[in-house]
């Protein structure tokens, strides 16, 4: 359930007002999700009657339903600029720019955060992907290059973006795209804190992992044993779990065409859904409630957050 902070509005955020079908309500459970066919392609032609929602196995009545095209998108771009990531950010700047051009409609808003051991909002909410990338380029070349210290505060950066920025906007879809190798060694928040914050604000995390390794799993056989450090495997696990628990998706840039991956993310953000329901369990005991969304059409799978904490 969205905590009380979800209805607060920060003075630094001034997004344009748009009529919303969804409103922030501490008694309303909002779930953004996507549906894919057997080939992994988004299915964007479904209606409310095609779905059923269960909380801890109990059917729930859908109060609100919307396709992604019906509501604005609030998007956080999170760029890891620690030492291990600097070469990747510059090389894929053009791909990110094309992605923003493809995914942002005039009513959508995005912001850009860069992080090392510290966090910096490089570009605040805007509908212009070009202006965000211009700010990114200025940041990269503004005296000293990456003035954010040694270390990587990945969890702190995601937690900040979710709780201080995305939680402050009302209505619409929330998504966060994380560009990193998944390494974290300088955060005060841990992974459960970060996931809970994303789940409570219904923020889907899409993780794009950049590393020099082409391995996908610890038991992969593309390289001799011992060639990949343990922290590489930890980074893979971090990115996968952040995405899985929030209903997003994770990608390894070494495993495919980066532009094609960006097109896939853009399509998923355009062809997704939102439902809202008032839980039949009125007890607010802080327990975790499991959410399951099922589609009545054969051959389709649903990707959604795994649940929420009933604060």
């Amino acid at each position: 359930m969205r905590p009380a902070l979800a209805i607060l509005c920060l003075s630094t955020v001034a997004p344009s007002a748009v009529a919303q079908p969804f409103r922030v309500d501490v008694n309303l459970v909002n779930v953004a999700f996507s549906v894919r066919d057997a080939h992994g392609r988004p299915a964007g032609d479904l209606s409310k009657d095609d779905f059923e929602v269960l909380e801890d196995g109990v059917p729930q009545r859908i109060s609100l339903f919307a396709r992604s095209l019906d509501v604005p998108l609030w998007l956080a771009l999170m760029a890891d600029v620690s030492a291990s990531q600097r070469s990747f950010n510059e090389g894929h700047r053009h791909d990110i720019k094309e992605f923003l051009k493809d995914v942002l409609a005039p009513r959508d808003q995005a912001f850009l955060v860069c992080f090392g051991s510290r966090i910096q909002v490089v570009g605040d909410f805007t509908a212009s992907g070009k202006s965000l990338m211009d700010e990114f380029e200025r940041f990269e070349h503004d005296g000293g290059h990456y003035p954010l210290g040694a270390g990587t505060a990945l969890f702190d950066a995601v937690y900040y973006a979710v709780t201080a920025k995305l939680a402050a906007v009302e209505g619409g879809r929330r998504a966060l795209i994380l560009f990193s190798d998944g390494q974290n060694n300088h955060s005060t928040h841990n992974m459960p804190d970060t996931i809970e914050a994303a789940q409570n604000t219904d923020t889907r995390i899409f993780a794009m992992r950049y590393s020099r390794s082409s391995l996908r799993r610890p038991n992969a056989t593309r390289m001799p044993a011992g060639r990949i450090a343990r922290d590489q495997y930890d980074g893979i696990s971090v990115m996968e779990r952040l995405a899985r628990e929030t209903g997003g998706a994770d990608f390894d840039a070494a495993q495919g065409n980066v532009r094609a991956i960006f097109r896939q993310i853009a399509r998923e953000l355009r062809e997704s859904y939102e439902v809202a329901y008032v839980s039949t369990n009125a007890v607010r005991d802080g327990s975790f409630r499991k959410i399951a969304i099922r589609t009545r059409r054969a051959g389709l799978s649903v990707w959604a957050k795994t649940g929420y904490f009933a604060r």
Side-chain angles (χ1 to χ4, degrees):
M1 190 65 66
R2 285 184 182 159
L5 60 83
I7 63 174
L8 299 179
C9 189
L10 302 182
S11 60
T12 56
V13 179
S16 58
V18 182
Q20 314 286 349
F22 288 5
R23 311 300 293 180
V24 173
D25 185 335
V26 295
N27 294 314
L28 202 63
V29 181
N30 295 331
V31 187
F33 63 97
S34 60
V35 183
R36 301 172 193 168
D37 63 19
H39 303 286
R41 296 172 302 207
D45 61 345
L46 304 175
S47 67
K48 174 182 175 181
D49 294 335
D50 291 312
F51 299 101
E52 61 176 340
V53 178
L54 296 93
E55 180 180 296
D56 289 338
V58 178
Q60 306 292 314
R61 186 178 70 84
I62 297 175
S63 302
L64 297 168
F65 175 87
R67 296 181 178 87
S68 59
L69 292 179
D70 300 329
V71 293
L73 171 66
W74 306 101
L75 179 65
L77 298 175
M78 310 294 297
D80 182 344
V81 296
S82 58
S84 64
Q85 291 293 287
R86 295 176 188 177
S87 60
F88 300 110
N89 289 323
E90 183 173 357
H92 295 294
R93 192 189 300 127
H94 175 73
D95 297 326
I96 299 172
K97 184 183 296 186
E98 291 301 308
F99 163 77
L100 289 173
K101 185 187 301 183
D102 188 32
V103 76
L104 289 181
R107 65 180 175 178
D108 299 332
Q109 298 276 318
F111 67 96
L112 171 65
V113 170
C114 290
F115 64 95
S117 62
R118 300 191 302 277
I119 302 163
Q120 182 170 331
V121 178
V122 173
D124 214 332
F125 280 111
T126 178
S128 171
K130 180 181 183 303
S131 69
L132 282 185
M133 298 314 297
D134 288 345
E135 292 294 338
F136 192 14
E137 189 168 354
R138 276 192 287 272
F139 167 79
E140 289 181 302
H141 296 91
D142 184 18
H145 304 284
Y146 303 96
L148 297 183
T152 308
L154 185 151
F155 295 145
D156 283 356
V158 174
Y159 189 92
Y160 166 80
V162 170
T163 61
K165 303 290 287 182
L166 293 175
V169 300
E170 192 173 337
R173 298 164 289 147
R174 296 167 177 80
L176 183 150
I177 301 181
L178 175 62
F179 305 97
S180 178
D181 57 4
Q183 300 304 309
N184 175 82
N185 55 25
H186 209 275
S187 289
T188 58
H189 295 93
N190 57 28
M191 187 187 295
D193 290 341
T194 306
I195 291 173
E196 180 179 350
Q199 290 174 335
N200 284 347
T201 56
D202 204 29
T203 299
R204 303 174 70 198
I205 297 177
F206 294 84
M208 176 77 86
R209 193 174 71 87
Y210 290 100
S211 75
R212 291 178 176 83
S213 167
S214 61
L215 286 178
R216 183 58 178 165
R217 294 287 191 274
N219 60 356
T221 58
R222 294 190 182 183
M223 296 183 67
R227 290 286 299 278
I228 301 301
R230 179 70 248 174
D231 60 357
Q232 284 276 40
Y233 300 143
D234 292 342
I236 294 172
S237 176
V238 165
M239 300 289 268
E240 289 180 337
R241 187 176 172 191
L242 288 173
R244 181 181 68 252
E245 298 284 348
T246 62
D250 70 287
F251 305 90
D252 189 335
Q255 296 295 306
N257 182 288
V258 172
R259 292 186 182 182
I261 292 173
F262 277 128
R263 286 196 296 270
Q264 181 177 342
I265 295 174
R267 183 178 177 187
E268 185 144 341
L269 288 174
R270 289 195 307 266
E271 300 182 28
S272 57
Y273 303 89
E274 284 194 58
V275 295
Y277 66 93
V278 177
S279 174
T280 55
N281 185 351
V283 179
R284 300 291 177 260
D285 56 2
S287 64
F288 185 76
R289 310 281 174 79
K290 293 182 180 180
I291 295 175
I293 299 178
R294 299 174 181 170
T295 175
R296 295 183 172 91
R297 292 197 192 181
L300 300 178
S301 58
V302 175
W303 295 68
K305 65 182 179 183
T306 55
Y308 71 99
F309 287 89
R311 301 301 187 195

